[in-house]
Structure formats: structure tokens, C-alpha cells
Amino acid sequence: MVEMGLQSFRFSISWSRLLPNGRGPINPKGLLFYKKLIKELQNHGIEPHVTLYHYDLPQSLEDEYGGWLNRKIIEDFTAFADVCFREFGEDVKLWTTVNEATIFAIASYGEGIAPPGHCSPNIFINCSTGNSSTEPYIAGHNMLLAHASVSNLYKLKYKGKQRGSVGFSIFAFGLSPNTNSTDDEIATQRAKAFLLDWMLKPLVFGDYPDVMKRTLGSRLPVFSEEESEQVKGSSDFIGIIHYITFYVTSQPAPSIFPNMKEGFFTDMGVYLLPIGNFSFSEWEAIPWGLEGVLEYLKQSYNNPPIYILENGKPMKHDSMLQDTPRVEYIQAYIGAVLNAIKNGSDTRGYFVWSMIDLYELMAGYTTSFGMYYVNFSDPGRKRSPKLSASWYTGFLNGTIDVASQDYIQLQRNLSGYSSL
């Protein structure tokens, strides 16, 4: 990180690592690990940006009451956050409560492809439990309430002394009409309501989008007046996780998401079409998609502070260090962020996913996003810089401009870089 010139590093604190039973006694080894990590970052001038929840619920809370499907999670998550603020808050100024809450609710409680793997029978995969027509909305509702509770705790107990910020993150697809027809424009607005406004509108304005309330009826939980006030304005910033952009149409078409008899995408009622060659392990750079997301948030949500918490390109995990497509992808998206900022977006940070190769939830070790290659068969987990690491280092130290093609020269010089 120091050699690259990183100014900030984003990581998650594992709830289970700190509180193995979900509540109660703190694991001293877990506490020491995070304290040492944060201090080491600070000693080298790298600001920690901490995410409190990233898919890893303590199993005991899942077993006891069903985790995010039960309002009891609000109290336990707030108590966990209290421990984190108390123990690390003097050194951490940027906190994200829930990681990519929108896709977490959909994938975990509607599609069954992420922990804890809930979905209706024969919806997408064979889940042992779940209800795809209700659970994503229940879980999402509890995430918003838990976030608001944690944000309120921080403001009352810690903000005055620690002077930090608490935000909430969503997975933000880029969305654009497939044609210039009125139908496709309406379909795109509907897709934005379900995929973006679903959680952003409560955070900024205190309630769900009207189109979701009309479509879902009693399946969509309702905020009490007090809850609405708690959620409204509870996020100091919006965390954006963005990778891909879709065309949207109202006409039946081969969508990237399967046509199911119930669930979130069926409720949304539109079709998302891939742009160019697409799979979930490989996608093209569509930088205007991210620029469009930032412009939409600026116009629709009073230009909130934004941190782009993840953006990157997957490639087959092998020892090929010449990852030119990744360089081109990162370069293009940083350029898009620059354009958005020039147009007035209050975007304050950008994180590449990921610094090193790691285990990916949907792909294991077959594909990776890292700028450093990790040899997972080596007991020492040897790391070697890819072309993207060299390019990013040059970008951070000012020797490469986002509009340049200097990475071609870097590609020629890559063999001169030593492994870590």
C-alpha cells in the first residue's frame, strides 16, 4: 500500500471475529488484530474506511431469530457498532454500516445466491427456506432501521468527540433506455425506482418510492412516523458500489436475470439487457454508466456526499500480469468520476476493487479483481504487481494522467518490477 501511494484503504470488520456469539464478550484476539491494522495504516498516512457489515452475520443470531428478517437485529447490530465506535472510533473517521444493502437483500433473500441463501422453492436455485416475494423487502427494511439506529447512536454518543461520518452503501447499476421510445424511458425510471430509490429515498426523504408501494402493497413494510424521521437524513454520505451498466426495456427480451414467477426482478417488471459481451465473470467498460449514476444522485437527492466504495474489473485468475483490460477499465472509470465532479457531483473518494487477488463470493478463486497477483498455492501467498498496480501507482504519484496512454510504456517495463 505504501509503495503504491494509497491514501485510504477500505476494509470490513467481521462481526463474528469481534463478537463470536453476536453479542456479549469481545474476542481479545479479534480486537487486537483490528487495532493493530488501523494503527499500522495510520502510521503510514493511510486513512481507514471501515464497513461494519459485509455478509458475515454471526451464526448464533441467524439460528436464534433469523438474522436480518427479525427486528431484533436492530438492537444487536447497534450494540456491535457501539463496540466498534468505542474501540476504534478515535482513529476511524469514515464508517459504512451495511455493504451494498440493495443487492445483499436481493441476492441473499430473493435469489438464494448469497448468505444465508433464502429463496422461494425452485425460484433460481434450490433453497431450503425462504420467500422471494416478501423477504428481500423485510430484510432491506431492517437494514435501513438498523443503519438509522447506529447513525443515531454515533451522533448522540461519539460524533462530538470523534468527528467522524456514518454512511450507507448500495449496489448501483448503471441504467439507460434501450431505445428512445417513451416506453423504454418509463421502464428505465421504474428500474431506477426499484434498484436505486428503494433505499435511497427513505434515507433522504423518509419513505419508499410510490411505484414500489403501489406494486408491492402489503408486501412492502411500512415505516411508522417515528421510524421515517429516524431514517430520513441518517446517512452522512452514500456509498456507491458500481461495476456494470444495463439497457432497460419494457419489451420482453432475453434479460440477464431469469424470468421467475415471483421475486424482486419480477416485481420490477422490466428487462435488463447486457451491453456488449457480458457475463458475471467478465464485462466491458461502460464508464458513462457510472457518470449517469452520479448525475442521477446529484439531481434526485440534493447532491449528497458520495464515496465510490468498489469499482473494478474481473479477469481469469492466472499468473498473467499483463492485465491491460483492467488498466483500461480503471482509467476510463476514474475519468468518468472526474467528469462527474467537474459537473458538480459531491464525490469525495474512489476505491478500486481490489488491491490484491482474494476470494470472491460468486466466483471463488477462478476470477479475480486484484491489482496484485496472489499465488494461492504458495504457502507464503506470494504477491506480484500486475500492470494495473504499476499504472495505479503512477496515477497516484502524478506521473500518469487519466487521459494518457502511458500504461503502454508501463506494459513494456513491467518485467522490471519485483514481486512482493
Side-chain angles (χ1 to χ4, degrees):
M1 294 184 204
V2 176
E3 288 181 2
M4 290 185 84
L6 292 193
Q7 300 163 334
S8 187
F9 182 68
R10 173 178 177 251
F11 65 94
S12 302
I13 290 178
S14 168
W15 188 343
S16 302
R17 197 174 198 172
L18 202 58
L19 300 172
N21 296 316
R23 62 173 84 92
I26 298 174
N27 171 22
K29 291 183 178 180
L31 181 64
L32 181 61
F33 170 81
Y34 288 116
K35 280 186 176 289
K36 289 170 69 175
L37 170 61
I38 291 167
K39 284 296 183 186
E40 192 72 8
L41 288 169
Q42 287 202 314
N43 288 342
H44 290 90
I46 301 170
E47 182 177 30
H49 190 139
V50 176
T51 297
L52 290 172
Y53 187 84
H54 195 149
Y55 288 106
D56 53 347
L57 183 73
Q59 187 64 42
S60 59
L61 302 186
E62 181 72 21
D63 295 340
E64 180 183 335
Y65 55 71
W68 289 99
L69 295 175
N70 194 307
R71 291 174 69 97
K72 291 180 181 178
I73 193 76
I74 300 168
E75 181 180 351
D76 283 330
F77 184 62
T78 305
F80 161 58
D82 196 7
V83 171
C84 294
F85 295 152
R86 183 183 74 231
E87 298 293 342
F88 313 123
E90 289 299 312
D91 300 311
V92 176
K93 304 307 175 189
L94 291 166
W95 299 93
T96 300
T97 51
V98 181
N99 183 72
E100 58 185 16
T102 46
I103 209 72
F104 169 43
I106 298 165
S108 299
Y109 295 96
E111 312 290 305
I113 56 177
H118 285 211
C119 66
S120 295
N122 302 313
I123 278 291
F124 187 54
I125 61 173
N126 289 323
C127 299
S128 59
T129 186
N131 185 331
S132 298
S133 69
T134 58
E135 288 191 359
Y137 308 111
I138 295 169
H141 192 74
N142 289 334
M143 289 174 209
L144 287 166
L145 293 174
H147 160 82
S149 175
V150 167
S151 176
N152 186 55
L153 167 76
Y154 188 81
K155 287 171 183 172
L156 291 176
K157 191 173 177 181
Y158 295 101
K159 192 176 182 72
K161 183 179 179 183
Q162 296 180 358
R163 315 301 295 178
S165 299
V166 176
F168 187 86
S169 84
I170 66 166
F171 192 101
F173 293 112
L175 301 164
S176 182
N178 187 46
T179 70
N180 60 6
S181 70
T182 301
D183 285 349
D184 282 357
E185 177 60 40
I186 293 171
T188 303
Q189 294 306 314
R190 184 179 175 91
K192 288 178 179 178
F194 272 76
L195 290 166
L196 302 176
D197 303 340
W198 171 22
M199 295 195 185
L200 290 180
K201 196 164 185 188
L203 289 172
V204 178
F205 299 114
D207 201 6
Y208 292 117
D210 289 340
V211 65
M212 292 190 73
K213 292 196 283 188
R214 288 195 304 269
T215 301
L216 301 173
S218 62
R219 290 188 288 128
L220 185 66
V222 176
F223 293 108
S224 69
E225 191 171 327
E226 181 183 4
E227 289 169 344
S228 176
E229 287 302 312
Q230 289 174 347
V231 173
K232 181 180 177 180
S234 63
S235 207
D236 295 324
F237 62 86
I238 302 298
I240 292 297
I241 291 173
H242 174 88
Y243 292 98
I244 48 182
T245 292
F246 294 116
Y247 287 135
V248 186
T249 181
S250 61
Q251 301 300 314
S255 174
I256 198 67
F257 298 101
N259 187 19
M260 300 179 291
K261 65 179 184 288
E262 63 180 82
F264 183 88
F265 292 104
T266 303
D267 291 334
M268 188 167 66
V270 300
Y271 299 86
L272 304 181
L273 309 180
I275 301 176
N277 295 323
F278 177 87
S279 72
F280 281 108
S281 60
E282 186 76 26
W283 50 71
E284 295 182 14
I286 315 290
W288 52 262
L290 175 56
E291 195 173 341
V293 169
L294 297 177
E295 181 67 20
Y296 180 74
L297 266 61
K298 183 186 79 175
Q299 293 185 3
S300 303
Y301 292 100
N302 304 322
N303 200 16
I306 293 171
Y307 288 89
I308 298 163
L309 299 180
E310 292 181 25
N311 176 241
K313 180 176 177 63
M315 296 179 69
K316 182 181 178 182
H317 182 261
D318 56 32
S319 57
M320 284 292 292
L321 303 181
Q322 313 277 357
D323 60 342
T324 302
R326 180 174 288 117
V327 174
E328 294 170 340
Y329 182 101
I330 295 171
Q331 183 182 42
Y333 278 84
I334 291 176
V337 174
L338 179 60
N339 287 342
I341 292 172
K342 287 179 177 177
N343 287 328
S345 172
D346 190 8
T347 300
R348 302 184 180 186
Y350 169 91
F351 293 86
V352 176
W353 186 276
S354 55
M355 194 190 81
I356 63 171
D357 290 340
L358 43 78
Y359 182 86
E360 291 293 337
L361 181 65
M362 303 304 295
Y365 296 110
T366 60
T367 60
S368 61
F369 289 77
M371 292 185 285
Y372 281 84
Y373 171 75
V374 178
N375 184 349
F376 292 110
S377 61
D378 182 343
R381 303 293 188 266
K382 183 180 178 182
R383 292 104 192 250
S384 306
K386 303 176 190 178
L387 180 64
S388 54
S390 307
W391 182 90
Y392 200 56
T393 300
F395 167 71
L396 291 175
N397 67 29
T399 60
I400 292 178
D401 186 80
V402 292
S404 78
Q405 298 296 312
D406 292 346
Y407 66 84
I408 296 173
Q409 184 61 43
L410 273 172
Q411 189 171 10
R412 297 191 184 112
N413 298 339
L414 181 62
S415 57
Y417 286 85
S418 60
S419 298
L420 297 181

